[in-house]
Amino acid sequence: MNLTDDQKKLLNGDFGEGAKLAMKVQVAIGESFGAERMVPITRAHVALSNQDADLWLAEKMVNLGAKCRIAPTVNPGFCREYFKAKNLVSQEDYDMMERTHNAYKKLGAQLTYNCTPYIDTNVPNFGEIIAFSESSATPYANSVWGARTNREGANSALFASITGYVPEYGLLLDENRKGNILVDVQADMKNDYCYHMLGMCGKKIGHGVPVFTGLPKYISPEALRNLGAQLNTSGAYDMYHILGFTPEAPDLETAFDKKEPLRKVTITNEDFEEVLKDISLEGNREIDFVMFGCPHFTLNECRHIAMAIEGKKLKKEMWILTSSHVKSIAIRMGLDEIIENAGGHIVPDTCPDQPCWHFLKGKVGLTESPKCAYYPQRRGINFVIRDLDTCINAAITGEVK
């Protein structure tokens, strides 16, 4: 690879052993993909996991004296203060989260603990070269904002933050950002939940860069978040286009670089029904709880829930996972009080795939997010999946159809 003087100094250890190791890995990644050079980044997001391997690496880099040149935002673990106060977390798990917090603090990360930074806390500009890990963040940054990032792992995103560089390959190059699958959406896209279902059609869409046609003219940020999150739950998609909507797909000719698509796929309501059968527990049952926020819910969604349950009492507990940024504004607006009075909870800085939810093991939850239903299965928590308003109503009645 052709390295600049600064990159050579990093690799030679002039900036310390931590930066040297980070650069060594970044160069090796670049060589494996045939990259000719390293390019600077302007922002990053690290999908920390609060698990053994992630903590081991973070502490190793701290001990090697590493510091982030580009301060990354980070994914959630769980909110130590919230679960400690409710006596819902073991001392061992609390200590691991605290060590994770301290390690990333010493590295110089922005401790946002939010898996949707692309909506409000770390929003890139068109064409900006960045290093984002997190399964919903990469497609949103590439597709909606037109920034440029490969689908980084948590470790490579951290190393990019430390060095300030990424190897130039993949979606950083023009030719790899073009669509090659035409997806004609004939299903009824009546709400944000439908974009969850569209994203879960990855098996039918197949590998590549899809170009969606037939979608409404207005698509909410929440719907776009849902689409990217589920595309990476059902498959592996770093980027997509929506004809006439996303910045690099003003027309078919541009989206496909004047080439014919490799294949054409049609998505119907029947596809959504088939997907739901595969991923959801059967309905017509009592539920134990309702959970939202994988990916994290926005302030708009918290407000929607608050207005729907104001003055009512939930028969089943409701957990709404958000960033601390959203929770603080929800408190300021009185939304948190409304939800708490009804029997729900806005929980900041927390992922559903965390040991703090051990008390839900063996119970049946309800959610609108297939991703939320997918990850906690390994912890013995299973879900029925329905649209948002059906979930809200079920929390009130205690049952779902």
Side-chain angles (χ1 to χ4, degrees):
M1 294 180 68
N2 297 316
L3 300 182
T4 65
D5 288 343
D6 184 56
Q7 292 160 4
K8 290 176 182 176
K9 288 179 180 179
L10 284 162
L11 193 59
N12 291 334
D14 291 14
F15 299 103
E17 290 301 310
K20 178 181 179 179
L21 176 59
M23 193 63 181
K24 181 179 180 180
V25 173
Q26 290 294 82
V27 169
I29 292 172
E31 288 175 343
S32 70
F33 283 99
E36 296 181 0
R37 63 175 183 166
M38 306 288 289
V39 291
I41 62 167
T42 49
R43 62 180 77 232
H45 178 76
V46 175
L48 69 80
S49 64
N50 180 42
Q51 295 176 14
D52 290 338
D54 178 73
L55 178 57
W56 174 85
L57 180 63
E59 290 184 334
K60 178 182 180 67
M61 298 309 291
V62 168
N63 293 333
L64 289 174
K67 290 285 186 180
C68 292
R69 286 184 168 187
I70 304 296
T73 49
V74 296
N75 253 31
F78 66 85
C79 181
R80 293 170 296 150
E81 297 81 4
Y82 184 91
F83 287 92
K84 185 75 169 179
K86 292 182 176 292
N87 198 30
L88 291 174
V89 62
S90 70
Q91 189 62 46
E92 180 183 2
D93 291 329
Y94 180 92
D95 290 343
M96 178 170 278
M97 186 66 239
E98 186 169 46
R99 285 173 59 193
T100 300
H101 172 88
N102 290 336
Y104 279 93
K105 181 179 178 180
K106 290 175 181 176
L107 288 169
Q110 299 181 48
L111 301 177
T112 49
Y113 296 129
N114 170 223
C115 60
T116 57
Y118 46 83
I119 289 180
D120 49 22
T121 57
N122 196 358
V123 180
N125 295 312
F126 180 81
E128 195 172 351
I129 297 175
I130 62 178
F132 272 26
S133 52
E134 212 289 321
S135 57
S136 73
T138 300
Y140 204 107
N142 278 315
S143 309
V144 179
W145 298 129
R148 299 196 170 200
T149 179
N150 286 308
R151 189 182 181 187
E152 303 287 353
N155 51 4
S156 63
L158 176 59
F159 293 156
S161 301
I162 292 168
T163 63
Y165 297 104
V166 289
E168 188 180 41
Y169 72 96
L171 291 177
L172 304 189
L173 303 173
D174 289 345
E175 59 267 26
N176 297 324
R177 298 178 65 82
K178 302 301 181 181
N180 52 23
I181 311 168
L182 181 61
V183 183
D184 179 22
V185 181
Q186 296 182 7
D188 298 324
M189 305 302 290
K190 54 191 176 183
N191 53 37
D192 294 344
Y193 166 78
C194 294
Y195 291 82
H196 278 308
M197 293 296 104
L198 179 58
M200 288 304 295
C201 292
K203 185 176 180 180
K204 183 173 183 179
I205 293 169
H207 182 68
V209 179
V211 179
F212 294 100
T213 64
L215 294 177
K217 290 185 178 180
Y218 173 75
I219 306 173
S220 73
E222 292 82 3
L224 294 165
R225 173 206 62 196
N226 295 348
L227 176 59
Q230 307 314 334
L231 281 171
N232 273 326
T233 302
S234 67
Y237 296 86
D238 307 328
M239 186 170 185
Y240 61 83
H241 300 284
I242 299 174
L243 190 65
F245 185 89
T246 51
E248 295 174 64
D251 50 58
L252 283 175
E253 185 176 66
T254 304
F256 287 102
D257 196 27
K258 301 180 181 180
K259 299 174 183 175
E260 285 295 312
L262 296 179
R263 60 184 175 278
K264 298 179 181 180
V265 179
T266 300
I267 303 296
T268 65
N269 290 332
E270 288 72 26
D271 290 311
F272 288 2
E273 292 169 5
E274 288 300 314
V275 163
L276 191 60
K277 288 179 183 177
D278 289 339
I279 63 176
S280 172
L281 294 180
E282 292 185 3
N284 297 312
R285 68 197 304 160
E286 183 179 356
I287 56 167
D288 297 311
F289 67 96
V290 175
M291 183 177 285
F292 303 123
C294 184
H296 274 167
F297 258 28
T298 64
L299 185 65
N300 285 337
E301 288 168 315
C302 290
R303 184 177 183 275
H304 179 85
I305 294 169
M307 296 304 98
I309 65 177
E310 185 172 14
K312 300 176 182 178
K313 286 293 181 182
L314 304 181
K315 284 192 175 180
K316 304 296 179 179
E317 279 196 298
M318 177 189 290
W319 308 89
I320 307 166
L321 313 185
T322 72
S323 66
S324 56
H325 170 74
V326 166
K327 169 126 186 179
S328 66
I329 300 177
I331 291 172
R332 186 179 299 172
M333 293 175 63
L335 303 178
D336 186 66
E337 183 178 8
I338 292 171
I339 291 169
E340 285 286 341
N341 287 341
H345 316 283
I346 298 179
V347 183
D349 303 344
T350 302
C351 173
D353 186 21
Q354 285 285 318
C356 58
W357 300 109
H358 64 90
F359 62 95
L360 298 178
K361 183 177 181 179
K363 295 186 177 182
V364 174
L366 180 65
T367 185
E368 41 62 74
S369 168
K371 186 176 181 181
C372 184
Y374 177 79
Y375 285 111
Q377 288 181 68
R378 71 188 185 100
R379 301 184 186 276
I381 308 170
N382 295 292
F383 286 85
V384 178
I385 301 171
R386 294 292 185 268
D387 66 87
L388 178 59
D389 288 332
T390 297
C391 292
I392 294 171
N393 187 62
I396 297 170
T397 64
E399 298 179 340
V400 64
K401 293 183 179 180

